[in-house]
Amino acid sequence: MRRSLQVVVLLAAIATVAVGVGAFALVTDSPDDTTDPSATDPPTVGDDASVEQFDSEAAFEAYVAAAQRDSRVSLGGGGVTFQGDVDVAVETADAATNGQRAGGSGGGGGETRISDTNVQVRGVAEPDRLQTGQQTLYYADGRYWGGGYVREDGHGRTRILDASDPAAPELVGGIDDSGQLLLVNDTLVVLSNDRVTGYDVADRASPEQVWSVGLNARIQTARMTEGRLVLVLQQGVTLDDPCPVEPFTDRPGTACTDVYHPGADADASVTYTVVSMDPHTGDEHDRVTFLGTRQHSATYVTNDSVYLTYTQRTPYAETYQAYLQGSELLDEQAHDRLDELATYDLTANARMTELRAVVQDWLARQPAEERDQLRSDLRSGYEEYVDERKRDLLRSGIVRIDRDGDSLSVAETGEVPGRPLNQWALDEHEGTLRIATTVDPMGATSVNDVYTLDGSLEVQGSARNMGETEEIYSVRFEGDTAYVVTFRQIDPFYTLDLSDPANPEIQGELKLPGFSRYLHPLSGDRVLGIGEEDGRVKATVFDVSDPQNPTVAESRILDARWSAVAQTHHAFLYDQRHEVFFLPTDRGGYVFDTELNQQAFVETDEPATRAAYVGDYLYVFSNDGLTVVDEETWEPVSELPFDRVTAEAVEEPVAPEPRPAGPDEPVRPVDAEWPAGPHR
């Protein structure tokens, strides 16, 4: 049955800006004051349209073929990487929280308190290599290369530790499987690069595999909520055999007539399938599949909904042609040729070739002594043209999928200017969605905004223009307040008042060296920032008691160049009982109180990866083993070495180059521990 939902388009065409790089050397510098106010505007990514399903497989194939013709995005499936999202967690009175800030027993239950995984939303569990149960901990192998990248790929072993004696934990069992872990009751779910597997761990000494399902897709996000496993799977679309869409290797696919797509053109490079499953049996409850783009930038999951966002860029060739058509610099002959090109159905590369030829021919007709100045004027004019339209040229589509028991449905879609950093750039509070974005289309001066959206995902209000020339490095929403850090050469820390969704307000700004990649609210109107300054790990405590005048209460630069906290909030541990936090580094783990006084340093042979508290003992994990520290004396009391995964057991891959994605590269997954760095 063909259904449609009238909504704001969630996906729009994305161009590969790289096609313009060569042209920029000749043309993209542009005129200072030559932009005609009536210049032709390029197509934008914000037109109203419908999201609907296909009438037939032929319609699906035709749509994909047309959409991909101009796309230079590499297609195909690929191994698992966890896009879930990145960094931070807290407990607030209203809902978006984490068990660590609450202080109580955490998620382990029983008489002995045991810490939970750091999560964004209370009641929504996130996958990590460390999971805690009642007097039991599960820890998956990882392998490191330079820059801090950790491999969690299904090879190796997940160790099961008995912590009934908190001072002396013991290895009591294990699973010959490794990856990201989720725990619900006596079921441990392991998410690896080619499968999702459920194990019965009621008998910790003899875990038993209960179910397993193979994957043809990447796991972008996984969550556990109300006893249900929710997966977001990304899969490349090929024209060879596109129907049905088969994210699993051994389960029926999704008929192409059940796939959602936007009414307007999109690059249609991937499908996204949101699946609800029973973690104990692996049975599938429901799924929703829709065409999307590889420019998936963030996933935010609440107890009732899944929000997916997509970076949408107006194609560079279209933007540049629109600018040239409105430019008074070009002569009549050039404009006639541009009008002719506008009627042609060309690929992006072909259009850019023609546009370069138009500009070269125009320059050749000009006096030789004027050509350099004209070229410069054209370049500066283009920059001004793009800067004035930047919020139309770079936008994020948002789709909300609601969960009602075991059922999933596409509920609403919307869009905002710019691109979100990660899951922490989105937050739902009292019926309002808040989203922080960086607006930085190629050729424009970057700025940063916060938008508020109602239940229909219509924009209610905005606070704009933070950190000109910079981009967002971290975000934290806390009730009616938001904290935003932007960075280029310094670290502006912003406080925002969101109590009136129709009128968000930037209250205060503080500038300091370095940047904060991770924000974590502490008690007493203080916010902890973990980041970097001059290539070294930096911890900062911000005093936000006066939101209009935030100050630095404490600051400390460590003798360390890397911390897993910069890549994943799961590596951060806050123990409210002892008012300390754990900061893993390449040399070992630091323990600081909330005044940044060092309480302990736990040395590890390999980089420290995770920590947990059990009773009044701190467990510090590395790939080599576990060190137990008494939180009353801060002295080590026991060690538990781990057997290493042998070289024969794991094929050594080529390490990924530790660099950030460019403006038109796919945003790299953030549940995996990638090296930290800006997006540009």
Side-chain angles (χ1 to χ4, degrees):
M1 176 179 178
R2 186 173 184 267
R3 295 168 286 174
S4 68
L5 174 65
Q6 295 299 320
V7 288
V8 179
V9 101
L10 63 140
L11 303 170
I14 293 178
T16 304
V17 173
V19 301
V21 172
F24 263 0
L26 175 66
V27 233
T28 34
D29 316 281
S30 102
D32 285 307
D33 295 303
T34 54
T35 301
D36 183 351
S38 62
T40 304
D41 280 335
T44 65
V45 295
D47 299 327
D48 287 343
S50 63
V51 174
E52 55 190 31
Q53 292 172 304
F54 291 98
D55 287 323
S56 64
E57 289 190 6
F60 179 96
E61 294 177 7
Y63 183 96
V64 171
Q68 290 186 1
R69 188 191 58 177
D70 289 343
S71 174
R72 290 170 30 134
V73 177
S74 173
L75 304 178
V80 136
T81 41
F82 292 86
Q83 148 86 42
D85 324 25
V86 137
D87 309 278
V88 303
V90 336
E91 174 93 22
T92 62
D94 59 281
T97 63
N98 107 48
Q100 291 188 8
R101 187 162 181 234
S105 64
E111 296 181 357
T112 301
R113 71 182 193 126
I114 185 168
S115 56
D116 281 325
T117 302
N118 233 356
V119 299
Q120 182 177 17
V121 178
R122 183 170 51 200
V124 180
E126 301 181 13
D128 185 41
R129 63 186 300 186
L130 174 65
Q131 292 289 331
T132 58
Q134 188 173 13
Q135 299 182 345
T136 307
L137 296 91
Y138 304 85
Y139 181 70
D141 279 321
R143 293 170 63 83
Y144 280 81
W145 287 272
Y149 172 76
V150 61
R151 176 183 181 183
E152 295 165 334
D153 62 358
H155 298 287
R157 187 168 179 79
T158 296
R159 295 173 172 84
I160 303 177
L161 289 76
D162 179 0
S164 55
D165 179 358
E170 297 180 347
L171 283 169
V172 293
I175 299 169
D176 290 329
D177 198 356
S178 178
Q180 298 275 319
L181 311 176
L182 280 165
L183 180 68
V184 54
N185 300 325
D186 289 325
T187 297
L188 183 71
V189 177
V190 180
L191 304 113
S192 59
N193 64 336
D194 59 356
R195 65 193 182 278
V196 181
T197 307
Y199 294 90
D200 183 345
V201 292
D203 182 352
R204 297 175 300 176
S206 301
E208 180 180 351
Q209 179 179 314
V210 177
W211 61 272
S212 185
V213 58
L215 297 174
N216 291 321
R218 296 175 182 269
I219 301 177
Q220 286 291 341
T221 300
R223 294 290 187 269
M224 195 83 73
T225 176
E226 295 183 351
R228 295 168 178 85
L229 174 62
V230 177
L231 301 177
V232 179
L233 305 174
Q234 173 195 311
Q235 185 177 17
V237 179
T238 66
L239 291 175
D240 294 337
D241 187 21
C243 299
V245 176
E246 297 179 315
F248 299 109
T249 61
D250 48 5
R251 294 187 175 181
T254 302
C256 287
T257 51
D258 289 332
V259 176
Y260 287 92
H261 70 94
D265 291 338
D267 80 358
S269 56
V270 297
T271 57
Y272 288 93
T273 300
V274 181
V275 184
S276 174
M277 300 174 64
D278 184 328
H280 305 295
T281 65
D283 293 340
E284 183 176 327
H285 299 311
D286 200 5
R287 72 170 70 171
V288 172
T289 301
F290 47 91
L291 278 170
T293 74
R294 286 190 188 275
Q295 298 289 333
H296 177 285
S297 48
T299 302
Y300 168 62
V301 183
T302 70
N303 285 283
D304 301 317
S305 304
V306 177
Y307 291 89
L308 303 175
T309 69
Y310 304 84
T311 300
Q312 305 171 167
R313 297 178 186 271
T314 299
Y316 171 75
E318 295 180 16
T319 304
Y320 192 56
Q321 178 162 344
Y323 162 68
L324 292 177
Q325 287 182 284
S327 173
E328 293 182 347
L329 282 175
L330 302 183
D331 57 21
E332 184 176 357
Q333 182 176 339
H335 278 290
D336 288 344
R337 178 57 178 162
L338 289 170
D339 291 342
E340 182 181 3
L341 288 176
T343 67
Y344 293 169
D345 185 12
L346 301 173
T347 66
N349 282 338
R351 187 168 299 278
M352 278 309 306
T353 298
E354 295 292 344
L355 294 176
R356 284 195 295 267
V358 169
V359 172
Q360 289 170 339
D361 291 346
W362 164 69
L363 285 173
R365 293 192 294 272
Q366 309 310 310
E369 66 274 12
E370 298 180 12
R371 291 172 188 167
D372 286 346
Q373 184 61 49
L374 289 170
R375 185 183 292 110
S376 176
D377 288 346
L378 195 67
R379 178 172 53 243
S380 60
Y382 177 78
E383 292 170 351
E384 181 180 340
Y385 176 85
V386 171
D387 208 55
E388 291 173 349
R389 297 160 176 82
K390 56 190 168 190
R391 288 186 174 87
D392 290 324
L393 301 178
L394 174 63
R395 302 179 74 85
S396 285
I398 307 168
V399 57
R400 190 183 83 218
I401 296 173
D402 283 351
R403 184 183 61 80
D404 183 6
D406 293 333
S407 299
L408 300 171
S409 61
V410 177
E412 298 289 349
T413 62
E415 66 171 15
V416 294
R419 55 175 177 85
L421 173 68
N422 53 43
Q423 74 185 70
W424 295 98
L426 292 89
D427 178 80
E428 187 182 85
H429 176 66
E430 296 181 350
T432 298
L433 179 70
R434 296 88 67 87
I435 180 170
T437 64
T438 294
V439 184
D440 58 350
M442 190 170 183
T445 301
S446 64
V447 292
N448 304 279
D449 304 337
V450 171
Y451 295 90
T452 58
L453 294 84
D454 63 19
S456 298
L457 296 187
E458 296 287 342
V459 173
Q460 294 178 284
S462 64
R464 307 199 301 177
N465 295 318
M466 291 176 288
E468 186 174 335
T469 76
E470 299 169 343
E471 62 181 293
I472 290 175
Y473 265 54
S474 56
V475 184
R476 170 53 60 109
F477 293 98
E478 174 82 347
D480 289 329
T481 303
Y483 306 106
V484 176
V485 168
T486 64
F487 178 75
R488 186 181 182 190
Q489 294 179 332
I490 58 172
D491 173 2
F493 173 85
Y494 294 91
T495 60
L496 290 87
D497 179 2
L498 308 180
S499 57
D500 180 1
N503 296 288
E505 179 185 359
I506 300 170
Q507 289 185 294
E509 177 185 355
L510 170 67
K511 295 182 179 180
L512 63 159
F515 61 85
S516 295
R517 175 65 75 181
Y518 170 97
L519 295 175
H520 191 102
L522 304 171
S523 58
D525 292 322
R526 293 191 170 197
V527 176
L528 172 66
I530 303 297
E532 181 182 317
E533 182 178 340
D534 296 330
R536 297 168 65 189
V537 177
K538 179 181 181 181
T540 305
V541 175
F542 299 96
D543 184 340
V544 293
S545 55
D546 180 0
Q548 296 184 348
N549 184 35
T551 60
V552 173
E554 307 289 345
S555 181
R556 185 157 184 165
I557 298 177
L558 310 184
D559 183 19
R561 294 192 169 274
W562 170 87
S563 173
V565 173
Q567 288 80 50
T568 172
H569 57 285
H570 300 144
F572 180 82
L573 177 73
Y574 177 53
D575 184 349
Q576 189 177 39
R577 174 186 289 184
H578 294 280
E579 293 189 326
V580 297
F581 66 89
F582 175 81
L583 184 57
T585 72
D586 51 345
R587 300 176 51 243
Y590 288 87
V591 180
F592 292 103
D593 65 19
T594 56
E595 302 296 328
L596 296 189
N597 298 307
Q598 182 175 323
Q599 303 299 307
F601 177 77
V602 183
E603 187 173 353
T604 53
D605 291 336
E606 287 203 0
T609 58
R610 296 291 187 274
Y613 55 75
V614 181
D616 289 314
Y617 293 90
L618 180 70
Y619 289 20
V620 178
F621 290 85
S622 73
N623 284 340
D624 276 344
L626 166 66
T627 300
V628 180
V629 177
D630 187 331
E631 289 189 277
E632 301 291 349
T633 65
W634 298 115
E635 294 294 329
V637 295
S638 64
E639 293 186 356
L640 183 63
F642 295 157
D643 294 331
R644 298 298 303 274
V645 179
T646 64
E648 292 77 16
V650 181
E651 180 182 354
E652 192 76 8
V654 177
E657 182 181 353
R659 67 174 182 83
D664 281 279
E665 297 178 65
V667 177
R668 57 166 61 97
V670 290
D671 270 350
E673 294 174 357
W674 293 86
H679 287 285
R680 300 180 71 180

